[in-house]
């Protein structure tokens, strides 16, 4: 197969484009993996793919600079370890492609205050961090729209919590195209059927989050097997002791439904098969089986990440080539946008 950049350069060839990103604002979790990266890796052969570390987005909450730098590079290693071959996917750090910040500003001017005010994630994050409700947190979806629209993707594979932002991106793109003609392709969110919303193991009505400080409700990609098993053993279920206590009922049995979702995503089994498999078993057996399935899913990823993280020169080389490939495509869209809105080209 030809390298991604060569294919990307020839946009006439009707290969579909996929793009997504993750903020390096915390260590990647099982939620980041099952909700997003797993879908990316499964589709890598089919599409021209762009995946980035959304480091500029991470600045919307206060970061320890050295930790942010470390996590950004670790995330690059984890992308590769999750199966994203850098020769077939364009992997890059968002801030290495200045076109994101520039188009982000321009799109801010085409995104309405009312639209931004309605974003669920803004409401949740500003309630949680009342002492740091900054402008970036509010206008974040315009930067996300820029991240996406620069690459003219067909699909944006994300977990359920990001769907609203992708829908806003579509609205902004429609608005812009309505004024200036067909500048942007209108992308579609691509949400996995299973794994779209992995919940906290201790509070199963709350999303598993990489920025949570408490460690026991979330499983990280780099957790060792003993830790993973311990976390699943302590996972919250319910007091049902019936023959078929392992059954999918997210309304009434959120803890069990979450574990079933995780098990289904790691093993490829459906919910009926899982209920049949654990008929007559209690939650102890079920939780141990889910823990083992997760351990086996994450083991190769953890081992390969640990190996790659030590190879700084390799990671830096990936960052450089990824940013070059991404910039080529992003700058093409940005030039078009600048011209349309009336900015003078640099002589
Ligand atoms: P972020 O960094 O919060 O999450 C990264 C991706 O992981 C998914 N995800 C989950 N899926 C299922 N269950 C969970 N518990 C879970 N936690 C996270 C998210 O849905 C997401 O797909 N704004 C984005 C990053 C971003 C982006 C973009 C994404 C910036 N620009 C452009 C797509 C395209 C974010 O904060 O995701």
């Amino acid at each position: 197969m030809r390298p991604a950049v060569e294919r990307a350069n020839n946009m006439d060839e009707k290969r579909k484009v996929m793009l997504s990103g993750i903020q390096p604002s915390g260590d990647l979790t099982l939620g980041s993996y099952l909700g997003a990266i797993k879908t990316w890796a499964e589709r890598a052969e089919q599409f021209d793919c762009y995946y980035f570390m959304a480091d500029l987005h991470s600045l919307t909450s206060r970061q320890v600079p050295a930790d942010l730098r470390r996590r950004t590079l670790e995330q690059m290693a984890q992308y590769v370890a999750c199966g994203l071959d850098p020769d077939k996917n364009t992997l890059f750090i968002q801030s290495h492609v200045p076109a994101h910040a520039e188009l982000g500003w321009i799109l801010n001017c085409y995104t309405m205050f009312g639209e931004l005010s309605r974003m669920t994630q803004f409401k949740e994050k500003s309630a949680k961090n009342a002492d740091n409700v900054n402008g970036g947190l509010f206008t974040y979806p315009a930067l996300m729209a820029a991240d996406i629209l620069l690459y003219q993707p067909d699909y944006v594979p994300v977990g359920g919590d990001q769907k609203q932002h992708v829908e806003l991106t579509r609205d902004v793109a429609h608005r812009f195209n309505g004024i200036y003609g067909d500048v942007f392709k209108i992308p579609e969110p691509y949400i996995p059927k299973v794994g779209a919303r992995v919940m906290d193991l201790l509070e199963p009505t709350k999303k598993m989050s990489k920025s949570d400080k408490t460690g026991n409700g979330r499983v990280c990609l780099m957790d060792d097997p003993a830790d993973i098993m311990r976390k699943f053993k302590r996972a919250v279920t319910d007091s049902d002791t019936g023959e078929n206590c392992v059954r999918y009922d997210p309304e009434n049995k959120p803890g069990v439904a979450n574990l079933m979702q995780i098990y289904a995503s790691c093993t490829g089994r459906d919910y009926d098969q899982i209920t049949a498999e654990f008929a007559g078993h209690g939650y102890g057996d079920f939780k141990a089986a889910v823990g083992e399935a997760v351990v086996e899913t994450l083991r190769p990823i953890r081992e390969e990440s640990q190996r790659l993280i030590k190879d700084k020169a390799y990671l830096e080389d990936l960052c450089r080539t990824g940013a070059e490939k991404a910039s080529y495509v992003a700058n093409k869209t940005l030039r078009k946008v600048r011209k349309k809105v009336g900015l003078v080209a640099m002589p």
Side-chain angles (χ1 to χ4, degrees):
M1 181 185 287
R2 289 176 298 135
V5 67
E6 222 180 283
R7 285 183 268 117
N9 289 351
N10 185 3
M11 295 290 269
D12 297 338
E13 188 180 313
K14 291 274 183 281
R15 210 175 137 90
K16 301 270 190 208
V17 177
M18 247 190 183
L19 166 134
S20 199
I22 298 184
Q23 295 191 53
S25 52
D27 294 326
L28 293 185
T29 69
L30 187 62
S32 332
Y33 179 67
L34 299 181
I37 309 176
K38 184 167 181 279
T39 321
W40 308 354
E42 285 167 356
R43 299 286 174 276
E45 295 289 334
Q46 228 174 315
F47 299 95
D48 272 339
C49 299
Y50 297 84
Y51 299 120
F52 60 96
M53 331 307 139
D55 57 345
L56 293 174
H57 284 274
S58 296
L59 301 180
T60 56
S61 60
R62 210 57 80 224
Q63 303 291 330
V64 175
D67 288 349
L68 178 61
R69 263 191 292 275
R70 173 187 56 79
R71 281 196 306 259
T72 305
L73 284 174
E74 276 180 15
Q75 203 169 298
M76 176 65 100
Q78 289 166 338
Y79 280 6
V80 178
C82 285
L84 299 173
D85 179 344
D87 290 332
K88 295 180 186 160
N89 301 272
T90 304
L91 309 178
F92 63 101
I93 296 175
Q94 180 192 29
S95 67
H96 288 179
V97 183
H100 288 245
E102 191 172 341
L103 184 63
W105 170 255
I106 295 174
L107 293 184
N108 254 316
C109 305
Y110 296 81
T111 309
M112 300 300 132
F113 181 87
E115 288 173 319
L116 294 170
S117 309
R118 282 193 288 277
M119 292 296 109
T120 310
Q121 199 168 70
F122 171 69
K123 291 186 207 161
E124 282 173 5
K125 288 198 174 175
S126 48
K128 226 163 115 186
N129 304 294
D131 57 339
N132 187 19
V133 185
N134 57 73
L137 192 65
F138 187 64
T139 59
Y140 167 119
L143 178 58
M144 180 158 160
D147 298 337
I148 297 172
L149 297 175
L150 278 172
Y151 300 89
Q152 311 280 4
D154 297 273
Y155 301 110
V156 182
V158 284
D161 61 323
Q162 293 298 323
K163 188 164 176 245
Q164 195 185 31
H165 290 158
V166 181
E167 278 162 359
L168 178 59
T169 299
R170 289 166 57 86
D171 292 344
V172 172
H174 272 302
R175 180 171 301 131
F176 197 95
N177 287 354
I179 305 170
Y180 302 107
D182 279 346
V183 177
F184 297 125
K185 185 178 274 179
I186 308 294
E188 277 180 44
Y190 191 103
I191 316 265
K193 287 198 177 65
V194 182
R197 199 168 163 80
V198 177
M199 310 309 264
D200 190 279
L201 298 183
L202 298 179
E203 288 178 70
T205 50
K206 190 185 112 190
K207 187 186 89 162
M208 184 182 284
S209 165
K210 62 177 138 47
S211 45
D212 259 359
K213 300 282 175 282
T214 57
N216 285 325
R218 58 177 198 162
V219 171
C220 292
L221 294 195
M222 302 306 276
D223 279 353
D224 67 44
D227 259 348
I228 297 175
M229 291 306 292
R230 183 178 51 76
K231 289 179 187 177
F232 277 99
K233 276 194 186 127
R234 291 172 62 175
V236 165
T237 48
D238 51 53
S239 53
D240 191 346
T241 50
E243 164 83 0
N244 281 330
C245 57
V246 177
R247 63 178 187 281
Y248 193 72
D249 180 357
E251 277 283 295
N252 301 306
K253 295 163 73 70
V256 173
N258 187 39
L259 294 173
M260 287 182 80
Q261 166 184 230
I262 293 170
Y263 193 62
S265 189
C266 290
T267 62
R269 284 168 219 167
D270 66 27
Y271 294 140
D272 289 342
Q273 288 170 323
I274 298 170
T275 297
E277 183 180 344
F278 291 97
H281 289 264
Y283 289 143
D285 290 349
F286 175 52
K287 290 199 278 189
V290 182
E292 274 157 28
V294 171
V295 165
E296 290 321 315
T297 301
L298 298 187
R299 187 190 303 282
I301 296 173
R302 190 186 73 251
E303 289 174 357
E304 182 63 357
S305 300
Q306 282 167 340
R307 191 181 73 76
L308 293 173
I309 284 164
K310 290 191 199 121
D311 196 343
K312 238 178 152 204
Y314 171 73
L315 291 179
E316 282 172 0
D317 187 49
L318 284 192
C319 293
R320 195 174 314 109
T321 45
E324 280 167 12
K325 291 186 209 171
S327 295
Y328 179 89
V329 181
N331 288 335
K332 208 162 137 183
T333 305
L334 184 62
R335 276 196 299 276
K336 201 166 168 187
V337 169
R338 288 181 53 105
K339 195 167 169 193
K340 291 282 187 187
V341 300
L343 300 178
V344 174
M346 183 116 85

